Every structure is written in C-alpha cells, then in structure tokens.
Amino acid sequence: MVDNGAYDLPDGNQSENRKAKKRKKMSKSQGNGEVVNSNITVCVERSGETEMMEEDRSKGEDAKPSNVRTLKNGLVIQEQEKGKKDGKIAASGKKISIYYTGKLKENGAVFESNAGQTPFKFRLGKGEVIEGWDVGLEGMQVGEKRRLVIPPTLTSESDGHSDKIPPNSWLVYDIELVKVH
C-alpha cells in the first residue's frame, strides 16, 4: 500500500485538505522536472475558515502577492499589494481617486505621473480615461496597488498620444487606489 499522505474517511474518500495539498504538489512539476505555478497560494476552506498551506505559512506576512491575470484583449493585470481589508471596491460608475505612474513598456521611460500630487479623480467605466484603466481598475480595493500592462488597442489612440508616447506603444501603469467616492 502506498501512503500518499491522505487520510481515508469511512466512506473511502480522502480528506479535503489533503486533496488540496496533493493537487498543489502535482501542479508544481511536470514530467520533465520543470516547475510551474510555484507562486500560487493554495488555501483550504474548512468550516468557514481559510487555512494557508504549511509551505505558504513559512513565507510569512511580508510575502507580496503576485497575482497576474492576462485578459483576452491583451491587458495584463498584476496585483502588487493587497488593499485594506475593509476598503471599498472600485466598480463601474463609481468615482475613484488614484495615484499613477505611466511608463513605456519598450524602455521604461516615464511619460506621466501624479506621484506626490493630488490624486487623479474620474468616474470608472464611463470612457473618461483610456479603456485599459476602465477595465483594469474595476474590482480594485482601496489601498491596493496594481500594475497594468496595456496594449495599444486599449489606449486612446494607436497613433500616439503625444510626443512622449510613440505610435502603437504598450503602456505600463503602476496604480494605487486611494479612494472610492
């Protein structure tokens, strides 16, 4: 009999948290030894509580989240810092305030920023800003920091915004949600 670390319950099923651990370990390596999904935190739901896996606990509270999503339209959303637990959520139609720094993906040159200034206010989802912001900021929580990598199709013009932004440029924005009004 092989011990896979799972406990059999009377009905022959493995305990749920052992299944989750097994799934995580299996997703970490492929047959060729290549490691995949190594930064994914697996949580187990047990009677309303969420418990982090043992190896994730060892990372401690200082571990920064690195949730990266790539949407079908090419927009890349990377969560860099979680928001406040009780912070309001940005939703379409809500007025929000943000700090941002915009850079060219090509060379990292900063083309605009409001760091150290008054937060920029606008109504989310109403076309007041580039489409990449309207899509990429929805669901953000106050205090959260995200990096958006925006393809030219989601910027206001593919032929360049100004003399600082060449035509068909991918833009990288580091954004912090300050307030949802």
Side-chain angles (χ1 to χ4, degrees), residues 21-88:
K21 286 181 183 180
K22 187 176 178 183
R23 277 194 299 267
K24 179 176 181 182
K25 287 178 183 174
M26 288 174 65
S27 73
K28 274 191 165 184
S29 64
Q30 296 175 333
N32 61 7
E34 180 182 332
V35 175
V36 293
N37 296 332
S38 60
N39 290 333
I40 295 176
T41 301
V42 174
C43 293
V44 178
E45 214 42 56
R46 194 180 327 163
S47 62
E49 297 175 18
T50 301
E51 176 185 23
M52 284 194 355
M53 301 288 285
E54 197 65 45
E55 51 196 289
D56 296 323
R57 254 190 232 125
S58 66
K59 294 178 187 173
E61 294 293 319
D62 298 335
K64 287 192 174 183
S66 148
N67 298 329
V68 179
R69 295 180 289 152
T70 303
L71 306 183
K72 288 181 182 180
N73 58 16
L75 177 66
V76 178
I77 302 170
Q78 178 182 10
E79 181 184 318
Q80 295 185 312
E81 198 172 302
K82 289 202 176 285
K84 299 175 185 175
K85 283 185 178 183
D86 59 349
K88 290 183 178 179

Side-chain angles (χ1 to χ4, degrees), residues 58-136:
S58 66
K59 294 178 187 173
E61 294 293 319
D62 298 335
K64 287 192 174 183
S66 148
N67 298 329
V68 179
R69 295 180 289 152
T70 303
L71 306 183
K72 288 181 182 180
N73 58 16
L75 177 66
V76 178
I77 302 170
Q78 178 182 10
E79 181 184 318
Q80 295 185 312
E81 198 172 302
K82 289 202 176 285
K84 299 175 185 175
K85 283 185 178 183
D86 59 349
K88 290 183 178 179
I89 307 255
S92 186
K94 295 281 187 182
K95 192 161 219 161
I96 65 172
S97 297
I98 63 169
Y99 287 119
Y100 67 90
T101 298
K103 299 177 270 193
L104 298 175
K105 182 179 178 187
E106 180 182 335
N107 60 14
V110 174
F111 58 85
E112 67 180 340
S113 177
N114 73 343
Q117 300 173 13
T118 304
F120 177 67
K121 292 181 187 179
F122 67 97
R123 192 164 303 277
L124 188 62
K126 299 299 179 188
E128 296 177 12
V129 293
I130 61 174
E131 187 179 353
W133 279 19
D134 274 342
V135 174

